[in-house]
Amino acid sequence: MYLLLYLVLGLLLLAGIFVPLLYWDKGRRSLILAIRSLWLHKMRAFLSVLGIIIGTGAVIALMAFGEGSMQEALNDIRKLGATNIIVRSRRPPENSATAGRSRVAVYGLTKADYHRFAVLQEGGTVTRMVPMRDFKQEMRRYHLMYTGRAVGTTEDYAAVNDLPMALGRFLLHEDRSNVVVLGSQVANALFPFENPLGKDLRIGQSPYTVVGVLKSRSAVGDSGGQEMEDYNNDVYIPLDACNEHFGSTITNRQAGSFQREQVQLSQVTLTVSDIDKVRTTGEWIKAILSTHEKADWSVSVPLDKLEAAEREKGRFMILMGMIAGISLVVGGIGIMNIMLATVTERTREIGIRRALGAKRRDITMQFLIEAVVQTTIGGVLGVMIGLTIVFIMPPIFEFWSAHLPAKVHVPSIFLSLIVAVAVGVGFGLYPAYRAAMLDPIEALRHE
Amino acid sequence: MPVSRLPARTSPLTERDNPMADVVRVTDLVKTYYLESVTVQALRGVSLTVEEGDFVALMGPSGSGKSTLLNQLGCLDRPTSGHYYLGDEDVSQMDDDQLSEIRSRFLGFIFQSYNLLPQYTVVENVEIPLLYQGIKLTERTREWCIHLATLVGLGDRLDHRPMQLSGGQQQRVAIARALVNNPHVILADEPTGNLDSRTSDEIMERLQQLNNTGKTIIMVTHENDIASWGKRVIRMRDGHIETDERNQHRTIGKALANDGVNFNGFSQLPVNV
C-alpha cells in the first residue's frame, strides 16, 4: 500500500526534473531528440545503460534483503523486551580438583538475591520482577509420557514473555495448589483426544490439575547467541509448589552418571519503568550480584543487543551504499564511454547547430540532457527490476524451505534514482564539454 | 549572456541613415593557421565591401582562401588581424557567444552537402535557427516555417525526414532554413556542388529570386556556370583578391521567373515573432 504511494512520489520526483525541461524550448527539443536517437539505437542504448540498470537493481534488492533480515533480528530482540533485564544463573566453570561425581553443585541466584532486587522495586525503577526456576522433568498421563521443561514461576511470566493463552488461564499469584499450564506441544502429547482443562497429570511424583494451555508459538532466538527458547515444550507451575515438590536439589541423569545441582532460581526477569534507566539498573544489579563468590550469574540487557544490532544495521547500510556507489560509478563510465562515441559520431551535427547559432552551452545542455535521460531511464528500469527481485525471491526461497526476509527499503529507491540522475550529469559533463569545445568549422568539415 | 552591444531584436542595419549602404565591410583581413610546424597564411590582407542586395560569387582554385573568407564572413571564425563590420558592428572582436548570436540572428547558411539534421522533419529543420535565437516556438513560428517550406516548393513534404528527400529538395529545405531568421546576408558554400545541372539551375533560380527581393547573397563556387548567376564575381588567389568585377553576362532564370511564386514573403518576417 505504502509502496504505491512511494512509487507515485518517485514519479513526481522525475516529473519535477523533466516537466520544466518541457516548458523550455531547447530543453524540450533536446529531450525529444535524445529519446529519438536512443530509440534509433535501442540495442546500443540498452547496453550502455545496463550498468546503471544492474547497479540500481542491485541496490534496491540488496537493501531490501538487508533491511528484511535486520528488521527480523531487531524484532526478535524486541520480543525479549527492550525494558527488560534478564538475570540468569550460570553454571560456573568446573574446578577439576574439587569436581566430584557425587558432589552437589550449588550455584546461581538465590532467594536472598531476589529479595535484594526487591529494593529496586520499592524504589520504583523496577515495575515487575519475575522469578523463574526451570529443569527437565517427566510428565505422565496414564501410559503417556513426555519429557519437557518444568518451569516454576509467577503470574507475570506470561506478560513478560508474551505468551498468549489458547485455553483457560495462566498462573495467578493466589495459586498455591498444584495447578499447571501446558505448552501446546505438551498438551498435544499428553491429551491427544481430549480437552486438558481440569484434567490431572503427574509431573515428577506429584499430581497437578491443568488450568490452561498456551497457544503454539514459534521458537524465539536472537542473533546475540542466546539459546533458543521453545515455549511449546514447557509446563508452568507455581514457584512455591515447585519448590515444595521438587526440593532444592535436582538430579539429572546423564548417560550413566548423576549430576546433582542445587539452584534456587534459574532466572529473574526485571522490567524497568523507563527505557533510559535500563542500563543503570543493569549496573546496580551487577553490583548487587558481585558479592557472589563465583561468577555464577549473568546479566543480559536486550536493549544493549538492540542497539548493537542497530549499529550493525547502520554499518551494513553504509557497506551496501558503497557497493551501490561502485556499481553506479562503473555504470557511469559506461555512459561516458558511449557519450564520447556519440559526440564523435555526431560531430557534424554539432557543427551544423553551431553554424545555425547554437552557443557552446546549448551544445553542452543537449548532450547533458541526453546522458541524463539515459541514466534516468536506466535508473527507473533498475528500480523496477530490483523491486521485482524483491517480490519474487522470498517465495522462491520459501519453496526451497529457506527463509529470506525482504522489506523494501524506501529511501534506497529515491537515493538510487537521484544517484542515477547525478551519474548522468557527472559522467555526461565531460563528453558534453568536449562536444561544446569543438571548432565549428572543423566540425562542419567532419565526415 | 546576451550580446551587450546588440540590443535585442534590432539589427545592425536598421538604424542606419542610408538603407542601401554596405552590409559587409572587411578591412585588411588576415588569417594565419599555425599547424604543427607549418604556418599557413590563408588570407593575406583582404579588403572587401558588399552592398545590401548584392549577389557575389566568390571564385578561385582550392587553397586560394575563398572558403576561409566565407567562414570569416559567416562569423564561424575570428581573423588573426583586420576588421569585419557587419552593418556597423565590428564582429571581428566578438567572443564565441556573441558570434553565435550574430549567426542565429543575421546570417543564413546554405552548404554544399545541405547539412540538414537527419532526425528532424522538414519543418523542424527549418525551425532550428529560431530555436537558438531564443524565440519561443509557437503555432505562429511554425506557420512561418511552413510558409517558407511552401515557398521553396515543399508544402507537401513538411513531415518528411531529409533521407526521404532528393538532393534538390534537401537543398531547398536548407534555403528555407537560411531564410527563417530573415537574415541580412545569406552565405552559400557551393550550394550546387552535389547537384546535377538541371537541379542546380533550379536552386540558382531560387537564389536569384531571393536576391531580387533584396537579400544579399555571398556564394562560393568554382564553376563558371554557377558564378555567372552572380551580379559580381570575385576571384581569389593565394589569399588575395585577384579580380573583382561586375558580371556583364549574367544568367537570368526563366522557368521560375514568372511562375507566380511570391518571394516577397521573405522580407515580411515579423521581426517580433
Side-chain angles (χ1 to χ4, degrees), chain B residues 48-110:
Chain B
L48 172 73
T49 55
V50 178
E51 286 172 5
E52 200 168 0
D54 211 347
F55 190 166
V56 180
L58 209 51
M59 298 193 71
S62 46
S64 62
K66 61 182 191 300
S67 287
T68 308
L69 181 58
L70 194 77
N71 288 337
Q72 294 289 335
L73 296 177
C75 295
L76 288 165
D77 204 0
R78 267 168 296 191
T80 310
S81 71
H83 292 276
Y84 169 23
Y85 296 91
L86 183 68
D88 290 335
E89 292 292 342
D90 184 0
V91 297
S92 49
Q93 304 300 317
M94 288 184 173
D95 66 22
D96 192 87
D97 274 3
Q98 290 171 319
L99 288 179
S100 300
E101 188 124 3
I102 293 286
R103 289 197 296 270
S104 71
R105 291 241 199 112
F106 307 122
L107 300 176
F109 286 90
I110 300 170

Side-chain angles (χ1 to χ4, degrees), chain B residues 144-255:
Chain B
W144 168 242
C145 295
I146 292 173
H147 173 64
L148 289 175
T150 313
L151 281 183
V152 296
L154 292 169
D156 53 344
R157 290 184 162 74
L158 297 175
D159 292 321
H160 284 52
R161 304 277 153 112
M163 297 299 275
Q164 300 165 301
L165 301 175
S166 71
Q169 287 170 330
Q170 289 192 49
Q171 196 61 299
R172 284 187 281 161
V173 177
I175 293 175
R177 184 178 66 183
L179 292 169
V180 74
N181 54 349
N182 195 20
H184 294 312
V185 183
I186 294 172
L187 298 150
D189 188 2
E190 306 216 25
T192 60
N194 286 5
L195 300 173
D196 60 50
S197 60
R198 205 181 63 79
T199 321
S200 294
D201 285 350
E202 187 196 324
I203 294 293
M204 290 316 297
E205 275 173 37
R206 294 209 182 261
L207 289 181
Q208 191 172 63
Q209 280 181 319
L210 272 181
N211 180 245
N212 290 344
T213 64
K215 287 277 167 245
T216 313
I217 300 176
I218 301 174
M219 172 182 71
V220 162
T221 182
H222 56 255
E223 290 173 65
N224 285 317
D225 299 3
I226 300 299
S228 70
W229 289 81
K231 291 178 180 168
R232 177 181 172 192
V233 178
I234 298 175
R235 288 174 197 276
M236 292 190 70
R237 183 174 291 275
D238 299 331
H240 291 289
I241 291 179
E242 198 179 45
T243 62
D244 180 355
E245 53 203 13
R246 288 278 137 195
N247 185 3
Q248 305 301 333
H249 311 286
R250 224 180 138 204
T251 312
I252 304 293
K254 290 144 257 154

Side-chain angles (χ1 to χ4, degrees), chain A residues 23 25-26 29 33 36 346 348-349 352-362 440-441 444, chain B residues 1 71 77 96-97 100-101 103-104 109 113 115 117 119-120 124 127 131-132 135-137 177:
Chain A
Y23 279 97
D25 274 353
K26 286 176 201 165
R29 272 301 163 91
L33 181 71
R36 268 192 209 166
R346 285 160 61 181
R348 196 184 181 87
E349 176 190 329
I352 298 168
R353 287 176 183 275
R354 294 280 280 135
L356 297 179
K359 297 191 178 72
R360 286 193 167 135
R361 59 172 176 275
D362 294 328
I441 297 170
L444 272 172
Chain B
M1 185 190 69
N71 288 337
D77 204 0
D96 192 87
D97 274 3
S100 300
E101 188 124 3
R103 289 197 296 270
S104 71
F109 286 90
S113 47
N115 280 350
L117 296 189
Q119 311 94 322
Y120 285 172
E124 284 168 336
E127 276 174 338
L131 190 71
Y132 290 121
I135 289 174
K136 183 123 186 75
L137 297 180
R177 184 178 66 183

Side-chain angles (χ1 to χ4, degrees), chain B residues 1-15:
Chain B
M1 185 190 69
V3 181
S4 53
R5 285 183 286 175
L6 293 171
R9 303 279 165 261
T10 59
S11 82
L13 298 179
T14 46
E15 287 159 29

